[in-house]
Amino acid sequence: MTTEICAVNSDSLAAAKKILQGGGVVAFPTETVYGLGGDARNDEAVQRIYQVKGRPSDNPLIVHIHSEFDLSSLVYDTPYAGRLRQAFLPGPLTLVYKSKNNVSKLVSCGLDTLAIRVPAHKGAQEFLRYVDMPIAAPSANLSKHISPVSAEHVYSDLNGKIPLILDGGICSGGIESTVCDVTGEFPVVLREGLVSKEMIESVAGKCEVYKFKEGEQARSPGMRYKHYAPRCATRLFEAGQIEEAKECFAENHRIGKKVYVLCEDRFKSNFPSDYVLNLGRTEYEIAANLYAELRKGEAVADLIIAIKPEKKDGIMAGVLNRLSKACANE
Ligand code: AMP
Ligand code: MG
């Protein structure tokens, strides 16, 4: 199969709709990362998504809809969820509701809930409006690899496996959406992201972050898996361990390893500039640059030394979660 990359326009949208109607899958841009979408009502299409990515079949998918799509056709609502939608949607927040079971059972892997997201990205909204169907979509990368934030990243993982990538440029957000369960008395964050716990709390009054305990049945099955990993060795250091990171760099550099350092701008002067993968200065820059710099790094490095950013709360909680999973010390 040849994989075409096309800008989002009337021709490529018509081609995408035809593919989806036939049970196929297409990649599309969002403000977080690129998605690999199929008709959520079609078992065959949903199965194809898992197969193309090599995704474990017990890791449920998020359904994407446009702003005017009838949410009540898919899920049961909760009073405070409306306030969250008002405050943050369209945007990088996925809400998990009780499902009305009107999509393929494979989407939620047998759970009685359904995760729904309304992306803000202009190309994503155009795509979802044009096809006007609920689109099940995980990130458009091979399972366990770094999520894609450009059409080229999608191409390098899925070339030959999907017919079409809608190119909407570089994703401005950079990490996956916040996933928040709204089936209970108050919202519970299952995966941290660009809509932080603090932001949700300010609207809903109360919000907790779910902590997975070993041995317990995961409330969000995807959290069990190794994720977002570059295809080279990694070492992870705390912001307070710069001296150790410098030593690690020097040792590996001396023995001829191609070693690169992924860090925020303020730490870059500790390392030779040719070997720095710079995450930038602000929280939003760091989130937006994380996956692009990891992909750049894996293309040239034997070893990536990652240094955690200093700030830990707000949206940095999501960044730290991704960085820790990508660069876990094993
Ligand atoms: P990805 O599509 O790779 O961004 O991953 C989607 C995330 O949403 C995973 O962590 C899933 O476990 C989570 N998710 C999707 N649907 C549900 C659901 N019904 N209940 C809880 N978590 C979900
Ligand atoms: Mg993913």
Side-chain angles (χ1 to χ4, degrees):
M1 182 186 292
T2 39
T3 301
E4 283 197 64
I5 303 183
C6 301
V8 183
N9 57 40
S10 52
D11 288 344
S12 63
L13 289 173
K17 187 164 184 172
K18 211 164 154 205
I19 293 165
L20 293 170
Q21 284 170 333
V25 296
V26 301
F28 64 98
T30 80
E31 71 275 29
T32 58
V33 303
Y34 273 70
L36 177 65
D39 182 349
R41 302 161 303 183
N42 181 334
D43 286 342
E44 194 194 319
V46 177
Q47 232 156 12
R48 186 161 287 144
I49 293 172
Y50 283 97
Q51 180 207 332
V52 164
K53 278 185 62 96
R55 182 178 176 100
S57 59
D58 62 349
N59 186 7
L61 305 178
I62 295 169
V63 168
H64 293 64
I65 56 176
H66 61 77
S67 297
E68 283 79 44
F69 196 94
D70 179 15
L71 182 71
S72 70
S73 69
L74 299 174
V75 294
Y76 297 100
D77 207 358
T78 329
Y80 64 83
R83 299 209 304 276
L84 294 177
R85 289 198 297 274
Q86 189 72 32
F88 302 117
L89 300 192
L93 174 66
T94 296
L95 298 175
V96 175
Y97 303 87
K98 283 268 180 248
S99 178
K100 289 193 175 169
N101 297 319
N102 288 332
V103 296
S104 163
K105 281 208 265 307
L106 304 173
V107 170
S108 290
C109 309
L111 298 170
D112 61 359
T113 51
L114 186 64
I116 308 260
R117 169 155 140 70
V118 184
H121 188 283
K122 189 169 162 282
Q125 280 281 336
E126 275 172 20
F127 164 67
L128 293 166
R129 264 207 190 91
Y130 189 92
V131 302
D132 200 28
M133 50 174 106
I135 295 292
S139 48
N141 52 287
L142 291 173
S143 190
K144 301 188 179 67
H145 193 213
I146 305 160
S147 296
V149 293
S150 72
E152 290 70 30
H153 293 161
V154 179
Y155 188 83
S156 84
D157 274 25
L158 302 183
N159 178 24
K161 295 181 157 208
I162 59 172
L164 177 62
I165 301 168
L166 295 172
D167 185 350
I170 308 263
C171 306
S172 59
I175 61 170
E176 299 81 355
S177 62
T178 304
V179 177
C180 180
D181 186 318
V182 294
T183 61
E185 259 172 59
F186 55 87
V188 177
V189 171
L190 303 178
R191 176 176 75 186
E192 292 168 300
L194 293 175
V195 176
S196 66
K197 170 193 187 266
E198 293 83 351
M199 289 160 75
I200 295 173
E201 214 160 39
S202 74
V203 171
K206 180 173 178 185
C207 174
E208 280 181 3
V209 177
Y210 174 69
K211 293 269 177 275
F212 173 60
K213 295 181 203 81
E214 219 43 70
E216 195 181 283
Q217 188 178 12
R219 197 145 152 198
S220 185
M223 299 194 313
R224 286 201 310 268
Y225 297 107
K226 184 171 162 67
H227 261 104
Y228 326 114
R231 297 194 171 108
C232 62
T234 54
R235 286 288 310 276
L236 184 59
F237 289 93
E238 299 292 332
Q241 292 181 306
I242 291 293
E243 288 313 313
E244 287 92 327
K246 279 164 79 171
E247 242 170 66
C248 180
F249 177 86
E251 256 170 46
N252 282 284
H253 193 65
R254 192 168 50 238
I255 59 171
K257 276 207 178 149
K258 292 180 199 140
V259 48
Y260 286 74
V261 182
L262 178 81
C263 62
E264 58 182 313
D265 191 80
R266 72 171 80 181
F267 297 138
K268 74 174 180 204
S269 58
N270 291 289
F271 305 95
S273 59
D274 285 354
Y275 299 103
V276 170
L277 302 163
N278 191 345
L279 290 173
R281 289 171 200 274
T282 67
E283 294 173 71
Y284 284 97
E285 264 174 39
I286 293 170
N289 289 330
L290 179 65
Y291 290 147
E293 290 301 317
L294 278 171
R295 283 207 179 229
K296 239 192 249 171
E298 71 172 1
V300 290
D302 299 318
L303 171 67
I304 295 176
I305 294 175
I307 301 172
K308 290 186 190 175
E310 216 153 33
K311 190 169 179 301
K312 309 265 184 258
D313 58 352
I315 71 162
M316 292 316 281
V319 172
L320 278 167
N321 161 276
R322 306 310 190 279
L323 184 63
S324 304
K325 285 193 173 181
C327 300
N329 292 323
E330 283 174 357

